[in-house]
Structures are given as C-alpha cells and as structure tokens.
Amino acid sequence: MTETILILGAGYVGLPLAHKLLKTVKNAKVTLVTSTTHFYWNMAAVRAIIPGQYTDDKIFQEIAPGFKSYSKSSFELIHGTATAVDPVTKSVSITTPTSKIEQSYDTLILATGSRPIVENSHWKLGPGGYEALRTKLHEIQDVVKKAKTIVVGGAGVTGVETAGELGFEYGKGKEILLITAGPTILPGLPAKVIAFAESKLKALSVKIISSTKITSTSTTAEGKTSLTLSDGSTKVVDLYLPSVGVVANTEFLPAGMRNEKGDVPVNAFLRVKGYENRGIWAVGDVSDCQPKQIPYGQKQVAHLVKNIDLVLKSKEPVPYKPDTTPMIAVTLGRAKGTAGWATSSCLARWYGGSNLWKGEREGDDEDGDGDGGGGVQGESGT
C-alpha cells in the first residue's frame, strides 16, 4: 500500500526534505504544498538590496522544474496555502489560487518556516508570493540608491550583515546607522567576534547606536520615515530596514500543537508532542527543537528522512541529538567575514546555484553533519 507523505512548506527545509524522501522512502507518494511558485534565496537578501548585485533569476527560481524527473505517481506539487489541520481525520485544508481542497495524508510534516516579526519585509516571502517580493526588492533598491540616510534596526546577524553591505557600498557617501536595543551587536556570540565585527563596521563608516530602542515609526509627508527612539529623540531617515527577528508560521495549526511562542513542540524523534501516534512531524523554524537557523534545519531533515524510513519499515525511530554549537557566518561587505567564521563565498557554495531545488548541494552530507551559516537567519518555508 502506498504511503501518502504530505509536506507543508517548500523553503530551505521543505525542498530538500521532499527530494530526500523521494530518493529514500519506497512505496510512498510525496505531496509538497507551497504558497509560492518560486524559491527565494533569502540568504542573499542582505546584498540584494544593493542595486546591481543580483539579477532576479539569481535569487528566485521556479520550484516545479526541480521535480520534473519524478513520476506523477510518486510526487505531486500543490500551489496553495494550508489553512487548517485535522489530526483526527488526517486531512489538511488548503486554499489554492482557484479553489479550496481537503488533502488527506498518512504522514504529515510541518515545514512552513518563519516570517519576520515586522510585516511587509523583504527578508522572507510573504502572502503576495514571489511577484510581490520581487517588486518590493526593486522598490528598496531604488530607495537605497537615492537615500542619504539609512537606518538598520536590530543588530543580530541579519542587521549586522545588512549594515556591512550598505557600508561597503555607500559608507563614504551616505549616513548608515545600526541601532540596537542591546548593549552590543550580535548578542550571544563570543566577545572576540563582536569586537571584530564592530571594528569592521566602523571601518566601513557604519555608526552603531547601542542600548537604544526604536519605539515607533511613521511616514512623513515627504515619504521619509520618522523614528522615535527610547531616549525621547526622533530621527527622520530616507530608509528604515527593521531586522528584529522571526516568528513561526503556525497560525493554521490547532492550538494544542503550538506553545506560547507559536513554535511546535517536538520530542526526541522530531514527532509533534501530543500527536505522536498521529503521524505528524515538524522540522526547521516551526519546531522548538533548535534555534531558527538554516543549518540546524538541514540537519533535522537528514535525520527525519531516516526516521520516517524506519517507521515505514515497522522499525523504531532513533533520537535526534540537537547540536547547539553556533553555526552563524557573519559577512561584512564583500571583503571581510568575522574571525573564525565562514564567509559569504562559502555559503554560496554550500547552498549553491540551482542545486537546492534539485535535491542536491555541493558537499551534501547525508548524515547532517555539514557546517554552514546564516545570512538571513531562518528559512522561508511557506
């Protein structure tokens, strides 16, 4: 009997997961649900805002052609958005561009990724799909080119890299500010990495404003952005780029599948807690297993494929051993990376070219032990 494996989400986790399952699991049909027709290489977003750095075909690629080698009996791609999950009937409600459908499953894998806390951001794919995001990127590029003052809000990896790219390109001709509520940039990373990054940003003429929150924003009559800061001051800028974290895309799930943060709790085998006997698993940014970083999700994918294969062979799954070692590469412009961390050229090779949506990547590690990093943290898996 053919097992129906339903994957929700086609980002950095959902895409390789579908390919690996198709190549590993026998007597199964894999159905992949994606809200967008194109994959977005969002790790390039920090550089994509600089005019002329990337053409659209370098950061967006159609998903369907990557699966053309599989038969219709083994694979199906559904362009739609999951709106509800019924674990009792084992079905998912999906809204497509033309209709609403109910998709049944034997095994369900949640891989819907995450989205920025600040809406209408270019860091990840949103409800408008890749067309809307492509337009958004072009608009930001136009503003970046004309702007005299640019503020990046938030000094995690994405914020720091964005400030670095802007400083590298425009530091001597534009005012580039990086504002963070914390006492330092890159919270949680080693002190030597923070010090190195701060020195390089300053060398790129990026001004760092620490221990300061951006409490509110508004648009002026001239189309600029007015920022109100926690010290009571205001600053009017030509462009404001918020980078203040992500939240999991889990609103469509039953309340019992989500914790207070909106993440999906999983057990040691990556099964959803409370639904262990319902054939439901979760990997990547939606789960509470590890930090929301792409390399962690990739490791979870490799392990999950093994576990599903074992279960379908009536064998016991094996526990996943989370690795909390930092896997973050911080690049500062096109010349420097932080000491002891991977550079952007390494990341480009690791996720390189069109390999991802074909189910391959250079140096692919079937055991999930490969190293990697994150420009924009987290996967866009909707």
Side-chain angles (χ1 to χ4, degrees):
M1 183 176 178
T2 301
E3 179 87 1
T4 299
I5 302 176
L6 181 62
I7 304 172
L8 303 182
Y12 285 102
V13 165
L15 279 180
L17 175 60
H19 284 291
K20 287 178 181 292
L21 286 170
L22 285 162
K23 295 173 182 178
T24 303
V25 178
K26 308 302 179 184
N27 299 318
K29 178 179 180 179
V30 174
T31 299
L32 179 64
V33 179
T34 171
S35 64
T36 179
T37 58
H38 287 61
F39 173 82
Y40 175 40
W41 184 35
N42 72 315
M43 286 196 301
V46 295
R47 186 170 298 170
I49 63 173
I50 308 297
Q53 289 303 307
Y54 290 115
T55 55
D56 291 341
D57 63 326
K58 296 297 183 182
I59 53 178
F60 298 103
Q61 185 151 345
E62 190 176 2
I63 292 170
F67 292 93
K68 63 183 179 180
S69 63
Y70 303 110
S71 67
K72 292 183 178 180
S73 61
S74 64
F75 178 76
E76 180 181 5
L77 182 66
I78 297 177
H79 177 205
T81 301
T83 57
V85 172
D86 189 332
V88 177
T89 62
K90 286 195 166 186
S91 65
V92 175
S93 301
I94 301 170
T95 299
T96 74
T98 58
S99 65
K100 294 182 179 181
I101 62 175
E102 293 294 321
Q103 177 67 43
S104 60
Y105 64 84
D106 297 305
T107 296
L108 175 64
I109 303 172
L110 307 175
T112 46
S114 60
R115 67 183 184 282
I117 293 173
V118 177
E119 297 181 0
N120 196 30
S121 167
H122 74 288
W123 302 124
K124 302 243 186 159
L125 281 166
Y130 104 96
E131 294 93 345
L133 180 56
R134 181 182 58 189
T135 300
K136 178 74 172 178
L137 274 174
H138 292 172
E139 291 173 350
I140 292 175
Q141 289 167 357
D142 289 341
V143 177
V144 165
K145 186 176 182 179
K146 300 172 184 177
K148 294 181 179 179
T149 303
I150 302 174
V151 166
V152 179
V157 174
T158 301
V160 167
E161 288 196 335
T162 301
E165 290 290 340
L166 291 167
F168 184 90
E169 189 74 18
Y170 302 111
K172 296 187 182 302
K174 302 178 187 289
E175 183 183 22
I176 312 296
L177 296 95
L178 177 61
I179 300 178
T180 175
T184 68
I185 65 173
L186 299 173
L189 294 190
K192 66 177 182 180
V193 174
I194 293 173
F196 181 87
E198 287 181 342
S199 66
K200 293 303 176 185
L201 286 174
K202 290 176 182 178
L204 294 171
S205 300
V206 174
K207 182 180 179 181
I208 301 171
I209 302 176
S210 59
S211 301
T212 302
K213 291 183 179 180
I214 298 172
T215 58
S216 66
T217 66
S218 61
T219 303
T220 69
E222 296 78 20
K224 298 176 183 287
T225 301
S226 177
L227 306 176
T228 302
L229 307 182
S230 57
D231 61 5
S233 65
T234 60
K235 187 168 184 63
V236 177
V237 300
D238 297 303
L239 178 61
Y240 169 51
L241 295 170
S243 173
V244 290
V246 296
V247 292
N249 295 317
T250 57
E251 293 81 2
F252 65 97
L253 296 175
M257 283 191 190
R258 295 171 279 148
N259 62 21
E260 67 281 357
K261 294 181 179 179
D263 298 333
V264 177
V266 296
N267 65 13
F269 307 103
L270 303 180
R271 282 174 162 149
V272 176
K273 288 182 179 179
Y275 298 85
E276 288 86 350
N277 297 322
R278 299 287 185 177
I280 305 177
W281 313 70
V283 284
D285 283 10
V286 297
S287 85
D288 69 346
C289 182
Q290 289 174 289
K292 298 184 190 309
Q293 294 173 14
I294 294 168
Y296 291 134
Q298 294 281 331
K299 288 190 173 186
Q300 293 166 30
V301 164
H303 192 86
L304 177 59
V305 171
K306 292 179 181 179
N307 271 354
I308 289 179
D309 191 40
L310 287 171
V311 169
L312 296 184
K313 291 177 179 176
S314 299
K315 297 181 180 180
E316 291 297 316
V318 295
Y320 175 71
K321 297 179 181 179
D323 178 8
T324 57
T325 302
M327 288 190 185
I328 300 174
V330 184
T331 60
L332 302 170
R334 271 150 274 165
K336 297 292 185 180
T338 57
W341 296 72
T343 65
S344 58
S345 60
C346 171
L347 291 178
R349 289 196 302 271
W350 202 70
Y351 290 108
S354 63
N355 291 339
L356 181 66
W357 40 94
K358 292 180 181 177
E360 306 167 352
R361 55 181 165 81
E362 296 181 26
D364 199 7
D365 183 355
E366 292 296 330
D367 292 325
D369 295 325
D371 189 19
V376 177
Q377 295 187 53
E379 18 114 14
S380 179
T382 55

